[in-house]
Amino acid sequence: SQQGEEDPQALSIQEGENATMNCSYKTSINNLQWYRQNSGRGLVHLILIRSNEREKHSGRLRVTLDTSKKSSSLLITASRAADTASYFCAKEYGNKLVFGAGTILRVKS
Amino acid sequence: SAVISQKPSRDICQRGTSLTIQCQVDSQVTMMFWYRQQPGQSLTLIATANQGSEATYESGFVIDKFPISRPNLTFSTLTVSNLSPEDSSIYLCSVVGGAYGYTFGSGTRLTVV
């Protein structure tokens, strides 16, 4: 599949809890990016992690990349209701950006 | 970073007709990409458009259904032909450029009735 695997498909947590989303891919990538999309609106870029990086932080976001396992994870700490959205990983294959299936996150207040 | 103007932002079309979506970039870019996002789904790459050559289509997408033009380095159009309700989606263009490597248009929400 062009999109690859992403899990879980949906995640429901309480405000203040942490949320972890995972993304896998099959062939070598240049970089990997994470995006957020609120209810059918535009894409918001969250983090880019390069293939030679293992971990990256941005505010409450932590992204890891394990090239040996061909997987990445996005951790959102101390979640807020405003974090409710769909989250997508996007893998760079050459110049092409291929999106994963996404995780729908719902944060309950 | 590149700025993309995508038009129209939304449209409602009759089945059997076509819709042409335009993307104008404020700088010259070599590659432009077209994506489809079906309701509740992720983005799927339709094709890559290079100036001066035919677009390269991903598996499952064909030129007859999604003809693409790329007349210069700042402009591209995607036409969705012979519309059916299954074509109701958001269509986005994207270019290589910007702080994170890629910039996206704001999307065109197509509803086919």
Side-chain angles (χ1 to χ4, degrees), chain A residues 2-3 33 35 37 40 43 45 48 88 92 95-97 99-101, chain B residues 31 33 35 37 41-45 48 58 90 96 100 102 104 109:
Chain A
Q2 185 182 101
Q3 295 184 333
Q33 305 190 31
Y35 288 83
Q37 186 179 45
L43 287 168
H45 184 273
L48 179 152
F88 301 99
E92 293 183 33
N95 283 314
K96 287 199 300 187
L97 196 61
F99 284 78
Chain B
M31 304 177 78
F33 306 90
Y35 290 85
Q37 186 175 25
Q41 304 295 315
S42 180
L43 280 74
T44 301
L45 182 63
T48 302
E58 297 297 312
I90 297 173
V96 177
Y100 309 109
Y102 295 84
F104 287 85
R109 183 182 294 271

Side-chain angles (χ1 to χ4, degrees), chain B residues 1 6 11 18 28-29 33 39 43 56 58 64 73 75 84-85 90 98 102 105 109:
Chain B
S1 62
Q6 182 171 344
D11 206 342
S18 299
Q28 294 185 337
V29 292
F33 306 90
L43 280 74
T56 302
E58 297 297 312
D64 289 347
L73 291 173
F75 188 79
S84 68
I90 297 173
Y102 295 84
R109 183 182 294 271

Side-chain angles (χ1 to χ4, degrees), chain A:
Chain A
S1 152
Q2 185 182 101
Q3 295 184 333
E5 297 180 2
E6 211 158 324
D7 72 270
Q9 289 186 330
L11 182 61
S12 183
I13 58 174
Q14 292 291 334
E15 207 166 26
E17 295 180 337
N18 296 340
T20 299
M21 289 157 265
N22 304 295
C23 167
S24 65
Y25 54 95
K26 295 182 178 178
T27 58
S28 296
I29 58 173
N30 297 342
N31 305 306
L32 188 143
Q33 305 190 31
W34 286 89
Y35 288 83
R36 184 183 74 221
Q37 186 179 45
N38 290 77
S39 188
R41 297 190 177 183
L43 287 168
V44 175
H45 184 273
L46 297 176
I47 285 186
L48 179 152
I49 186 165
R50 303 193 184 280
S51 58
N52 61 355
E53 296 176 316
R54 293 297 167 258
E55 188 171 310
K56 211 160 181 182
H57 296 254
S58 176
R60 294 184 295 113
L61 306 180
R62 173 179 167 246
V63 168
T64 61
L65 179 64
D66 187 335
T67 53
S68 65
K69 295 181 179 178
K70 293 185 169 61
S71 68
S72 175
S73 67
L74 169 67
L75 169 68
I76 303 174
T77 60
S79 63
R80 306 167 182 169
D83 294 328
T84 295
S86 294
Y87 292 81
F88 301 99
C89 71
K91 295 141 280 191
E92 293 183 33
Y93 296 103
N95 283 314
K96 287 199 300 187
L97 196 61
V98 177
F99 284 78
T103 295
I104 299 172
L105 173 65
R106 181 185 172 208
V107 181
K108 296 177 284 186
S109 56

